[in-house]
Amino acid sequence: MHMVCFVETCGYDGRGGPRSKRVKATINMGRSKSPLQTRTNAPAPTAGAGGAKTKAPKTPVRLVLATGVTTTKLFATEYVVNKNIVSVFGKFVKDGKATVRFRSPAVDLFLSGAPPATLGRLLTLIVAVIKTPDAVEDADLMNFSENAQANQQSLQKTHAPPPRKLAMTRDSKWPAKFPPSLEDFSLYGYGLKHIRSHFLELRNLTSLAFECNRITEVPPEIKELSKLMVLNLRKNCLVTVADEIGELTALHTLRLDSNLLERLPESIGDLRSLKVVHLQRNRLKTLPRSIGNLGGLQRLDVSHNALPSFPPSFERLRRLKQADWSGNPLQHREAVVQGLAVPSLKELAAGAVYRGLQRRLRAEGKAASALIALPPPTKRHKPNSDGACDGSGRSRVAAAAAAAATACTPSSPTLGCASG
């Protein structure tokens, strides 16, 4: 049998000492793996009346306290019950409390928060083992020697850590209750039409995905998920996004692509932690003017929308590394390029040559810095319409191109240059 309750231990042998920390444990009572007497000193079976051999003594009964479990290890403490219990205090069994005093080790075991019926049965078994240990039926105990694996699985189920991740599809069974410990939840292709309230009560969520459903709006209650870092609502039927989405200050990835959105709230600009935004394949006719406040944005995809232009604040996205605005009826594409200060074709080609030379030198076991030394970074200038930089300063990539051109000379036969 097993019982879940709270456990404390304290020594009583005169040395005193504080009580141990009150912990939740599973108490199991069963047969030990080892016999009561070792094989070296165990008496041989003797002949009884009529010449019949007497039965060997049964293995001792032990009380096992499991206080924790991992995937590979079980944390438990064993106490021998046979001839090892001094007394049992069961005055407050109806309150789920009891104390068991052991001889070795000399400790008092304080039990609390136990089901009264199960606790009474446990104490009855302990008293029975004390009086007639061999008369206790194995059916009332857990045989550790024969069912060790089943015992550990039972303890693992009781002490299993709370789930942190849950992924569901349309074939998954809907749980009666979602554990509040969830940090990562995804629901794929379930046909959900709105974000239900019990999802918004999972306050520990850091990642939420409702991909390929039929959700039409992001509700104002989304602000309750203050720890959310990833929100994935791609391939739904979204028409509106509540202004309260701007209160998700921890959000760094937002996926609203493949929906029916025509506009976004201005509160998007309050998401200062955003790094990745996917808005492709919607019906967007304009972007929020506050989008320039997303100073940490690195990846933006607004392709295949109905955007005629970008707001003036768009040029403040200085950390943008990847941007896709293809499939839009943009009227002034060159203005967008100038605003973002993207590198010219010459700089891109020079960068490709420089990286190729670095790979080749590493393959030959040489240090790339021995041949090409980059100058300190200079101030970045916006490109003109022809792609050249304003001012006299050169970018690091252009300097690398010059160094690469110097390296590709007849005096460097190990490198060489591609002709043409």
Side-chain angles (χ1 to χ4, degrees):
M1 64 167 297
H2 70 275
M3 177 185 68
V4 180
C5 65
F6 291 97
V7 176
E8 297 174 81
T9 59
C10 180
Y12 68 89
D13 57 355
R15 290 176 294 181
R19 287 193 180 188
S20 65
K21 185 178 178 181
R22 184 171 180 260
V23 295
K24 189 176 183 180
T26 299
I27 297 181
N28 290 263
M29 193 171 175
R31 298 288 180 185
S32 172
K33 298 179 182 180
S34 308
L36 186 60
Q37 293 176 307
T38 59
R39 293 185 179 181
T40 54
N41 57 10
T46 57
K53 293 184 179 180
T54 59
K55 294 182 179 180
K58 292 185 177 181
T59 53
V61 177
R62 293 179 180 246
L63 206 63
V64 180
L65 272 66
T67 55
V69 68
T70 64
T71 55
T72 57
K73 188 175 181 181
L74 179 69
F75 298 97
T77 305
E78 291 188 3
Y79 297 93
V80 177
V81 177
N82 301 61
K83 301 179 180 180
N84 192 41
I85 291 182
V86 178
S87 56
V88 177
F89 305 93
K91 183 177 180 179
F92 300 100
V93 172
K94 292 183 179 180
D95 297 330
K97 299 178 180 180
T99 301
V100 181
R101 175 167 290 183
F102 291 93
R103 182 174 288 106
S104 177
V107 295
D108 283 337
L109 188 65
F110 301 98
L111 311 177
S112 61
T118 310
L119 180 58
R121 184 184 170 198
L122 176 67
L123 297 182
T124 302
L125 279 174
I126 291 176
V127 173
V129 171
I130 295 173
K131 293 180 178 180
T132 53
D134 292 339
V136 178
E137 296 293 336
D138 290 346
D140 294 331
L141 302 172
M142 181 176 290
N143 195 319
F144 285 91
S145 60
E146 297 179 1
N147 301 318
Q149 184 176 2
N151 176 37
Q152 180 157 343
Q153 290 176 353
S154 174
L155 297 179
Q156 286 178 342
K157 185 177 181 181
T158 304
H159 290 276
R164 299 181 182 273
K165 184 176 181 179
L166 178 61
M168 296 177 58
T169 64
R170 60 183 178 181
D171 298 326
S172 303
K173 185 179 179 181
W174 198 268
K177 183 179 179 181
F178 289 93
S181 58
L182 281 180
E183 297 179 0
D184 188 337
F185 177 74
S186 63
L187 184 65
Y188 181 88
Y190 207 88
L192 200 66
K193 294 184 179 180
H194 62 276
I195 301 178
R196 301 179 183 179
S197 59
H198 46 256
F199 295 127
L200 302 173
E201 295 174 357
L202 304 175
R203 305 300 169 82
N204 291 318
L205 279 179
T206 58
S207 177
L208 179 62
F210 291 115
E211 192 172 343
C212 296
N213 284 279
R214 300 178 183 177
I215 300 173
T216 58
E217 67 171 348
V218 179
E221 293 78 10
I222 195 71
K223 65 180 181 180
E224 303 296 336
L225 305 179
S226 58
K227 298 181 181 180
L228 204 60
M229 294 188 290
V230 178
L231 179 60
N232 182 0
L233 296 174
R234 67 188 300 265
K235 293 188 178 181
N236 277 276
C237 304
L238 287 178
V239 178
T240 59
V241 177
D243 291 338
E244 286 75 6
I245 195 174
E247 299 186 27
L248 302 178
T249 55
L251 199 67
H252 63 68
T253 300
L254 178 63
R255 300 210 60 166
L256 302 176
D257 46 302
S258 301
N259 280 284
L260 305 176
L261 293 172
E262 295 185 1
R263 60 174 296 275
L264 293 173
E266 288 292 332
S267 60
I268 289 290
D270 297 332
L271 303 176
R272 304 301 176 90
S273 300
L274 268 183
K275 295 183 179 180
V276 179
V277 176
H278 287 271
L279 299 171
Q280 66 269 27
R281 300 192 182 278
N282 276 281
R283 301 176 181 179
L284 294 174
K285 298 179 181 179
T286 181
L287 290 177
R289 290 174 295 178
S290 61
I291 195 171
N293 297 336
L294 306 179
L297 193 63
Q298 300 179 4
R299 184 183 305 172
L300 175 65
D301 192 340
V302 292
S303 60
H304 301 286
N305 279 282
L307 296 171
S309 62
F310 288 164
S313 63
F314 195 74
E315 66 178 16
R316 299 208 303 265
L317 303 178
R318 295 299 182 181
R319 297 185 181 181
L320 201 60
K321 297 180 180 180
Q322 298 180 12
D324 187 354
W325 53 75
S326 61
N328 284 282
L330 292 175
Q331 298 175 0
H332 304 286
R333 297 176 183 269
E334 62 279 1
V336 176
V337 175
Q338 288 181 6
L340 289 178
V342 296
S344 65
L345 290 177
K346 183 183 295 185
E347 288 179 311
L348 291 174
V353 173
Y354 175 65
R355 289 189 294 272
L357 290 172
Q358 281 187 320
R359 287 193 297 268
R360 187 165 182 177
L361 286 172
R362 282 195 296 267
E364 295 178 358
K366 301 178 181 179
S369 58
L371 179 64
I372 303 176
L374 289 177
T378 58
K379 184 178 180 181
R380 189 64 183 272
H381 300 272
K382 295 182 179 179
N384 291 325
S385 57
D386 59 353
C389 288
D390 293 330
S392 58
R394 293 192 306 172
S395 65
R396 298 186 71 196
V397 181
T406 304
C408 297
T409 59
S411 60
S412 304
T414 58
L415 294 176
C417 291
S419 59

